[in-house]
């Protein structure tokens, strides 16, 4: 029916795609919807000098935190990195570069990059240090900042269900940056909780069409962490 | 008596209107959700990709795939929808969210807001704050009036800005200020707090609303 996109494990799915100094997009918000097994496989490959585009930087020993601990990351492009002590340590020691993007600007840069749009104007950050060195333009009396579309060599994403074509759906807030990153890289690898037969996902419900996905890894076990466990009392 | 954090949140909840789509920041703004009037239809937006956010789950019902922008476990409500981060910020930047209530380090009399970094200290990032203040229709700051005895309502912000001329209202433990073309205007005051106390703790210049009832 189609080319085989299914790989037996994360290591196999990344074979031939990794090299030093490459740019990688990694989905997730906090620890929610992160491609955890693919991140571990990137660590195990030993590639270094990575530029990682991801909203957050994980926590010390989970998610992207493992790549920071092993000093494989040269630069992060993120909107918020508050929960990671390793990050703070390496940044303050001058070993790690950070480019902060407002979260919506980061998302739109990725969306634009995936859609072949090299730049766009936004009001976000106008009059702040985010706009320094960037072109600005007035539209209808308001100042907008020119931001560039963003692409990567590789995107690693986490999805809930996939079929063998690579059509993906996501679960609840684990969707976040995953679908847009899947559009914005030369190679896209998706780890999925559940690989289903053709036709098992209603075409009306597909979020990421398979055209965006090159390789799929069905996960044997899914280890999901909660960063801030908050509950209410039963009355 | 200055307002407590809870009373500040209750005062902020009075700015909500039936049918509003609302984004609440981390800290005191989160408490605003506890003061939404019964019968009012309010949809809470969480910038990680959720509209229609319910309360924290009961113990044992936490779902790691269901969190808010503060990474806390939350629940669905009957109106809930999920979407990706670009769609989430299209709501924010496209002016679809009615009101954003968030904290601040400094606010200036021209509506400038600083709440994301202190030079020399570890910078955690702005998250979605710059998008929210640039795109949401109405921006309300909820903060303590002073920090370490120093005013936070200033003539000009000393810290790097989150947004320029973006704040519409400031609610502190001492009072409520509106920010418009004419600058800062005191429109509400906590019980038994005097104008003199507010003046002594505010660097920014402000006028006083004619409708305001002041303590003797």
């Amino acid at each position: 029916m189609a080319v085989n996109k299914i790989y037996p494990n994360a290591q196999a799915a990344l074979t031939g795609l990794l090299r030093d100094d490459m740019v990688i997009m990694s989905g997730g918000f906090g620890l929610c919807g992160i491609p955890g097994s693919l991140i571990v496989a990137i660590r195990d490959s030993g590639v270094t000098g990575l530029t990682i585009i991801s909203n957050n930087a994980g926590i010390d020993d989970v998610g992207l935190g493992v790549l920071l601990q092993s000093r494989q990351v040269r630069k992060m492009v993120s909107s918020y990195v508050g929960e990671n002590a390793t990050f703070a340590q390496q940044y303050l020691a001058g070993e790690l570069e950070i480019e902060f993007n407002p979260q919506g600007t980061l998302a739109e840069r990725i969306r634009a990059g995936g859609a072949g749009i090299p730049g766009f104007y936004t009001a976000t950050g106008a009059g702040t240090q985010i706009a320094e060195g960037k072109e600005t333009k007035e539209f209808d009396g308001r100042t907008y900042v020119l931001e560039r579309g963003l692409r990567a060599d590789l995107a690693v994403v986490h999805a809930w269900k996939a079929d063998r074509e690579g059509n993906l759906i996501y679960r609840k807030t684990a969707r976040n940056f995953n679908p847009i990153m899947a559009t914005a890289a030369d190679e896209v690898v998706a780890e999925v909780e559940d690989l289903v037969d053709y036709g098992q996902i209603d075409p009306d419900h597909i979020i990421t069409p398979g055209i965006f996905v090159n390789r799929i890894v069905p996960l044997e076990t899914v280890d999901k962490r909660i960063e801030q466990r908050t509950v209410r009392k039963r009355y | 008596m200055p307002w407590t954090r809870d009373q500040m949140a209750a005062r902020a909840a009075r700015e909500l209107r039936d049918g509003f789509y609302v984004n609440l920041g981390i800290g005191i703004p989160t408490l605003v959700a506890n003061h939404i009037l019964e019968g009012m239809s309010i949809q809470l937006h969480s910038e990680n990709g959720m509209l229609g956010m319910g309360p924290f789950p009961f113990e044992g019902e936490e779902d790691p795939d269901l969190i808010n922008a503060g990474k806390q476990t939350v629940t669905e409500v009957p109106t809930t929808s999920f979407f990706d981060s670009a769609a989430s910020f299209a709501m924010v930047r496209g002016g679809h969210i009615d009101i954003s209530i968030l904290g601040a380090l400094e606010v200036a009399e021209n509506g400038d807001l600083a709440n994301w970094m202190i030079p020399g200290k570890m910078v955690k990032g702005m998250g979605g704050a710059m998008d929210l203040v640039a795109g949401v229709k109405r921006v309300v700051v909820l903060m303590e009036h002073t920090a370490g005895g120093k005013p936070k309502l200033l003539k000009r912000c000393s810290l790097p800005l989150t947004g320029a001329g973006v704040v519409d209202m400031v609610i502190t433990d001492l009072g409520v200020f509106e920010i418009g073309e004419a600058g800062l205007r005191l429109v509400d005051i906590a019980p038994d707090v005097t104008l003199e106390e507010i003046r002594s703790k505010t660097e920014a210049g402000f006028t006083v609303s004619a409708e305001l009832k002041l303590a003797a």
Side-chain angles (χ1 to χ4, degrees):
Chain A
M1 277 184 89
V3 296
N4 179 37
K5 296 185 179 181
I6 313 300
Y7 287 73
N9 56 56
Q11 188 196 352
L14 291 170
T15 299
L17 302 184
L18 299 175
R19 59 177 192 277
D20 289 348
D21 306 314
M22 72 187 302
V23 180
I24 301 178
M25 285 182 183
S26 182
F29 183 98
L31 300 180
C32 184
I34 57 170
S37 72
L38 290 167
I39 291 169
V40 167
I42 292 170
R43 179 196 61 190
D44 293 347
S45 78
V47 287
T48 61
L50 301 174
T51 295
I52 304 280
I53 301 165
S54 182
N55 189 54
N56 312 100
I59 58 173
D60 288 78
D61 54 349
V62 185
L64 292 170
V66 304
L67 289 180
L68 293 167
Q69 277 184 340
S70 53
R71 298 177 183 276
Q72 286 163 275
V73 182
R74 184 182 65 77
K75 180 181 176 183
M76 291 288 309
V77 180
S78 303
S79 85
Y80 189 83
V81 296
E83 272 72 53
N84 195 313
T86 310
F87 185 100
Q89 213 171 47
Q90 291 182 15
Y91 174 75
L92 294 171
E95 298 163 355
L96 185 64
E97 198 186 323
I98 170 83
E99 177 190 319
F100 282 118
N101 282 205
Q103 194 176 147
T105 294
L106 180 63
E108 190 64 14
R109 290 184 70 194
I110 297 164
R111 195 195 71 80
I117 297 167
F120 59 91
Y121 286 98
T122 177
T124 297
T128 76
Q129 63 176 232
I130 290 302
E132 282 170 21
K134 291 175 185 162
E135 209 179 291
T136 58
K137 192 169 178 170
E138 298 255 325
F139 293 91
D140 307 321
R142 191 170 184 197
T143 304
Y144 293 79
V145 184
L146 179 65
E147 294 281 1
R148 297 295 309 269
L150 200 53
R151 288 192 60 88
D153 300 309
L154 170 70
V156 287
V157 302
H158 179 99
W160 181 32
K161 288 184 184 177
D163 64 18
R164 304 181 76 85
E165 160 61 14
N167 293 314
L168 306 180
I169 61 173
Y170 305 86
R171 189 170 175 274
K172 303 183 190 285
T173 55
R175 187 182 310 186
N176 55 62
F177 281 84
N178 286 298
I180 49 174
M181 287 182 171
T183 69
D186 296 342
E187 298 286 343
V188 176
V189 182
E191 57 165 60
V192 305
E193 296 175 38
D194 197 5
L195 180 66
V196 301
D197 280 337
Y198 293 111
Q200 293 299 297
I201 303 174
D202 185 332
D204 274 337
H205 295 173
I206 290 165
I207 305 294
T208 296
I211 188 173
F212 295 118
V213 180
N214 300 98
R215 300 183 180 188
I216 305 157
V217 197
L219 295 173
E220 278 176 23
T221 55
V222 185
D223 178 23
K224 293 181 186 173
R225 306 288 188 91
I226 291 175
E227 222 168 313
Q228 305 282 340
R229 188 178 299 273
T230 44
V231 295
R232 76 187 128 127
K233 289 196 179 79
R234 289 178 194 274
Y235 293 100
Chain B
M1 283 280 285
W3 285 315
T4 63
R5 287 160 57 95
D6 225 36
Q7 287 167 329
M8 288 164 66
R11 179 61 186 79
R14 283 170 48 193
E15 300 303 314
L16 305 181
R17 298 289 175 268
D18 196 28
F20 264 20
Y21 293 92
V22 178
N23 186 289
L24 301 177
I26 292 164
I28 309 178
T30 307
L31 302 174
V32 175
N34 302 333
H35 298 279
I36 297 170
L37 292 180
E38 191 115 8
M40 200 182 256
S41 169
I42 297 290
Q43 302 298 324
L44 296 177
H45 172 262
S46 187
E47 58 264 32
N48 55 318
M50 180 179 193
L51 193 59
M53 186 168 49
F56 295 150
F58 292 120
E59 198 165 352
E61 293 177 2
E62 310 92 304
D63 183 340
D65 288 339
L66 187 45
I67 64 168
N68 64 17
K71 287 118 183 170
Q72 298 170 311
T73 45
V74 293
T75 54
E76 293 172 17
V77 292
T79 52
T80 296
S81 57
F82 297 113
F83 33 83
D84 68 52
S85 300
S88 185
F89 280 93
M91 295 173 192
V92 171
R93 294 149 68 112
H96 306 280
I97 307 287
D98 295 292
I99 189 169
S100 169
I101 303 176
L102 71 180
L105 297 167
E106 296 176 348
V107 177
E109 59 192 35
N110 63 354
D112 287 359
L113 166 70
N115 74 352
W116 80 281
M117 73 172 287
I118 300 173
K121 286 200 177 174
M122 178 60 201
V123 182
K124 293 180 170 184
M126 71 291 281
M130 285 192 179
D131 307 286
L132 286 161
V133 300
V136 171
K137 285 182 198 148
R138 187 166 153 79
V139 174
V140 175
V141 164
L142 200 46
M143 67 176 193
E144 303 288 339
H145 203 88
T146 58
K150 290 193 180 133
K152 296 173 72 173
L153 264 173
L154 306 173
K155 289 192 183 304
R156 286 189 74 94
C157 290
S158 64
L159 296 169
L161 296 186
T162 307
V166 293
V167 179
D168 298 298
M169 174 176 267
V170 181
I171 300 172
T172 77
D173 49 330
L174 301 184
V176 180
F177 298 82
E178 279 176 0
I179 301 181
E181 294 290 311
L184 210 54
R185 192 164 65 109
L186 182 68
V187 296
D188 201 356
I189 194 163
D192 301 326
V193 169
T194 63
L195 194 54
E196 287 65 40
E197 180 180 358
I198 290 192
R199 282 201 199 285
S200 72
K201 292 177 174 173
T202 308
E203 185 202 281
F206 63 90
T207 58
V208 180
S209 166
E211 285 103 77
L212 188 62
K213 292 187 182 71
L214 294 167

